[in-house]
Amino acid sequence: MSLVFHYAPMSSAVTVHWALEELGVPYEKVKIDLAARDQDRPAFLALNPNGKVPLLVHDGTPIFESVAIMTHLGETFGVQKRLFPEPGLKRAEVMKWLVWCNVSLGEALSRWLHNTSPRIPAERHNAKAAEVAKADVEKHLGILDSALEGRSWLVTDSFGLVDLHVSGWVAYVGMCGFDLARWPKVDAWVKKAAARPSYAAAMTP
Ligand SMILES: N[C@@H](CCC(=O)N[C@@H](CS)C(=O)NCC(=O)O)C(=O)O
């Protein structure tokens, strides 16, 4: 079995990196220097025509999109390790939150970054769009806070890949300037998940 993980530190690849560490599966790391535009090289584009990380190549099959990778890792290695539910309603709930994270929360955050980030030329910023996006990110953090009411973990009674992926994203939302302390259940859950040794390993470049 061969797993080759193409990643960049402090990117969307972090949660996949964290999952690989948490699962304890053997894998090979290939660092992609985004600033040097390694992602535009033909050999990389042949594996991921989107030119983005993360990318996982499992026995020669390239898989892009972090939720697809997370789901594949969960199905393949996570069920046995009790980090991913078997097919059924709990699996459906896990999928609901994974997709919500990348599509709903992620979309609002992306809109906010596009309208505020110093990496985007100021003439492309729109103050009203930034305000709406900020409110949308906050609305999603509120939804998550309510979902965590009375629960230790998001879907099951124990830590799972869904906690890892969604809390990893939410930690990034915090790094982008949102004060997570305003959503106490989210804040406590993010801190509890990040205390796992696998998180420190994934944050090591
Ligand atoms: N929806 C994708 C997003 C991947 C993504 O945007 N990756 C960024 C890093 S955070 C990237 O590789 N950017 C390089 C580029 O666009 O040139 C996922 O979840 O895997």
Side-chain angles (χ1 to χ4, degrees):
M1 197 267 296
S2 146
L3 287 174
V4 184
F5 172 49
H6 299 253
Y7 77 108
M10 294 305 292
S11 74
S12 306
V14 164
T15 62
V16 173
H17 198 170
W18 188 2
L20 287 163
E21 289 292 329
E22 181 71 36
L23 288 162
V25 289
Y27 66 98
E28 180 192 333
K29 283 201 290 189
V30 179
K31 195 187 284 189
I32 300 296
D33 184 342
L34 296 178
R37 307 236 38 108
D38 286 354
Q39 67 273 34
D40 294 341
R41 294 196 178 160
F44 185 77
L45 289 173
L47 296 169
N48 184 0
N50 301 288
K52 292 187 190 297
V53 292
L55 169 73
L56 186 73
V57 184
H58 186 174
D59 288 341
T61 297
I63 307 162
F64 52 75
E65 288 296 337
S66 57
V67 166
I69 300 171
M70 198 61 64
T71 306
H72 177 65
L73 289 174
E75 288 173 351
T76 311
F77 308 106
V79 174
Q80 196 188 8
K81 296 189 185 231
R82 304 186 65 76
L83 288 164
F84 202 76
E86 291 181 0
L89 287 175
K90 287 292 173 199
R91 169 80 66 91
E93 283 195 85
V94 161
M95 294 312 301
K96 169 181 82 178
W97 284 112
L98 289 176
V99 174
W100 172 89
C101 176
N102 282 38
V103 174
S104 301
L105 172 65
E107 187 276 334
L109 181 69
S110 165
R111 235 181 319 121
W112 186 75
L113 288 172
H114 275 94
N115 285 289
T116 58
S117 169
R119 291 186 192 173
I120 307 282
E123 64 267 23
R124 281 165 54 193
H125 289 175
N126 177 306
K128 186 66 197 166
E131 193 186 311
V132 171
K134 183 169 182 281
D136 282 347
V137 172
E138 292 174 347
K139 181 187 83 175
H140 286 98
L141 291 172
I143 290 168
L144 187 56
D145 210 56
S146 299
L148 286 164
E149 177 72 51
R151 306 195 55 85
S152 298
W153 301 105
L154 192 52
V155 173
T156 63
D157 291 337
S158 56
F159 175 82
L161 296 188
V162 66
D163 297 289
L164 173 162
H165 184 80
V166 182
S167 75
W169 260 91
V170 172
Y172 178 63
V173 173
M175 289 172 210
C176 291
F178 288 82
D179 180 11
L180 299 184
R182 287 179 53 200
W183 298 274
K185 289 179 280 296
V186 168
D187 195 32
W189 167 77
V190 166
K191 287 181 176 139
K192 195 166 48 156
R196 298 179 79 83
S198 53
Y199 181 72
M203 294 302 278
T204 307

